[in-house]
Structure formats: C-alpha cells, structure tokens
Amino acid sequence: MSHIDDVKMRLSDLFLRDCGNLDAQTESLIRDDVRRLLSKYLRLESFSLTFSPDGNDVCLQVKAGGRRV
C-alpha cells in the first residue's frame, strides 16, 4: 500500500468515526494525524492544512516543507 493510500484510509476512518461532521475537534484530529504521519518522512520546517467543504466531500490542501529523515 502506498503512503497516499495509507493517508486516505486513516482520514476515512476519522470521518467515519465522527459521522462526517467537520467540527473544530475533528479538524484538529485530522491536522495532528497528518502532521504526525508527515513527520515520519520529513523533518518539518513548515506545515499548513486547509479544509474546503464541497457538498458531501471535504477537500484537504496540505503544504509541508522540510528535509527527508
């Protein structure tokens, strides 16, 4: 399984657990989980994650900068 598929699976588990509601607590959980996952592969120097609800979907835009571990 690729790293991208792993992230998708973990995010879908979070959304299923919270019944698709995107409140502040869910956003925080997702942000922390994505940051922790990226920290396995990068020594993060910058990180941002924005949420864009789009009907029933939520788009995530992740920007991360750093050096490979």
Side-chain angles (χ1 to χ4, degrees):
M1 177 182 301
S2 73
H3 299 301
I4 299 290
D5 290 335
D6 185 40
V7 171
K8 286 180 182 178
M9 293 274 293
R10 294 177 70 162
L11 289 174
S12 67
D13 289 346
L14 279 171
F15 280 113
L16 288 175
R17 187 177 334 136
D18 293 327
C19 301
N21 296 325
L22 190 62
D23 57 6
Q25 184 177 9
T26 304
E27 285 184 14
S28 178
L29 285 171
I30 292 170
R31 186 173 282 113
D32 291 344
D33 203 38
V34 171
R35 181 189 297 256
R36 189 176 8 221
L37 183 67
L38 289 174
S39 294
K40 290 181 182 179
Y41 308 103
L42 297 172
R43 189 172 308 128
L44 290 176
E45 296 171 359
S46 63
F47 175 82
S48 69
L49 188 138
T50 56
F51 298 89
S52 303
D54 181 23
N56 290 334
D57 295 331
V58 176
C59 298
L60 303 177
Q61 182 176 13
V62 180
K63 293 183 182 180
R67 296 178 184 256
R68 289 185 187 177
V69 174

